[in-house]
Amino acid sequence: PYVTRNYVGSGVVVSSDGHIVTNHHVTDNASRIYVTLWNNDLYEAKMVGSDKDTDLAVIKIEAQGLTTGHFADSEHSNTGDVVLAIGNPYGLNQSVSLGIISATGRKGLNISSYENFIQTDAAINEGNSGGALINSLGDVVGISTASYIQYGAEGINFAIPSNTAKQIVDSIITYGEVRRGWFGIYFFKPQ
């Protein structure tokens, strides 16, 4: 006998033909991925690509004519803006929590290699990972990714900004991987 662990997460449809963005930690090491849409249609998804460095992944279901999330420019998100976290916390499908943006540009949390998080007090619980953080106009401003739980802290949650998510998703859909520019610098001590 063996034990399997089922992870539950959320996602945002990014193309009408079935591409969905979620978190890397939701899909990491998955042997099978299933997606249930708002109308309870169930699909088996295929992994398109994943990026551990930003904790984002793209999966695809065989569907057409899906309604997609509209990504806002997260650079226009400000402290105090009202946001809603949509997801599947603890298996409670289509749950919504309300909060505000507490801060933008949060770094130094050691959650991922590239950190520039939107901090919010909208509840992001287990199962919300990969779900949409939307503004009051219904536009996606972030992808929910983590909660800060230390010493009884509550209401400190983080989302990946939509601008970062869009860039990573576009690269994964186009190339099957994230392509980043880089350069090397070598320091040497003159003699």
Side-chain angles (χ1 to χ4, degrees):
Y2 62 92
V3 176
T4 60
R5 171 120 190 224
N6 295 322
Y7 292 96
V8 177
S10 302
V12 178
V13 176
V14 295
S15 73
S16 62
D17 64 346
H19 287 97
I20 299 167
V21 63
T22 188
N23 285 135
H24 167 82
H25 75 262
V26 171
T27 60
D28 190 31
N29 296 320
S31 57
R32 288 188 174 166
I33 302 168
Y34 294 97
V35 172
T36 305
L37 297 180
W38 64 272
N39 59 2
N40 291 323
D41 285 350
L42 179 66
Y43 296 87
E44 185 164 3
K46 293 181 182 175
M47 175 61 69
V48 176
S50 187
D51 183 47
K52 183 178 181 179
D53 290 335
T54 56
D55 193 26
L56 290 168
V58 177
I59 59 177
K60 185 169 187 320
I61 60 174
E62 293 302 320
Q64 295 294 323
L66 298 175
T67 302
T68 62
H70 178 265
F71 282 67
D73 182 349
S74 55
E75 288 294 317
H76 296 298
S77 297
N78 295 300
T79 300
D81 287 354
V82 173
V83 288
L84 296 103
I86 302 174
N88 186 30
Y90 306 108
L92 300 170
N93 199 12
Q94 298 182 42
S95 292
V96 179
S97 62
L98 173 71
I100 62 167
I101 291 177
S102 307
T104 58
R106 282 285 190 222
K107 296 175 175 48
L109 303 170
N110 298 319
I111 296 172
S112 65
S113 299
Y114 295 94
E115 295 189 348
N116 180 28
F117 295 112
I118 295 171
Q119 180 182 326
T120 180
D121 64 350
I124 297 174
N125 297 300
E126 185 177 329
N128 273 97
S129 292
L133 184 70
I134 65 171
N135 62 21
S136 59
L137 300 174
D139 297 326
V140 178
V141 295
I143 301 297
S144 300
T145 193
S147 294
Y148 186 78
I149 302 170
Q150 186 176 12
Y151 308 113
E154 292 183 22
I156 303 175
N157 304 297
F158 301 98
I160 300 160
S162 57
N163 289 1
T164 301
K166 186 163 178 9
Q167 179 183 4
I168 299 301
V169 166
D170 289 348
S171 183
I172 290 173
I173 290 173
T174 303
Y175 305 110
E177 65 183 3
V178 177
R179 294 189 177 177
R180 295 181 174 94
W182 65 275
F183 65 94
I185 299 174
Y186 178 76
F187 294 98
F188 65 94
K189 190 174 186 180
Q191 301 212 20

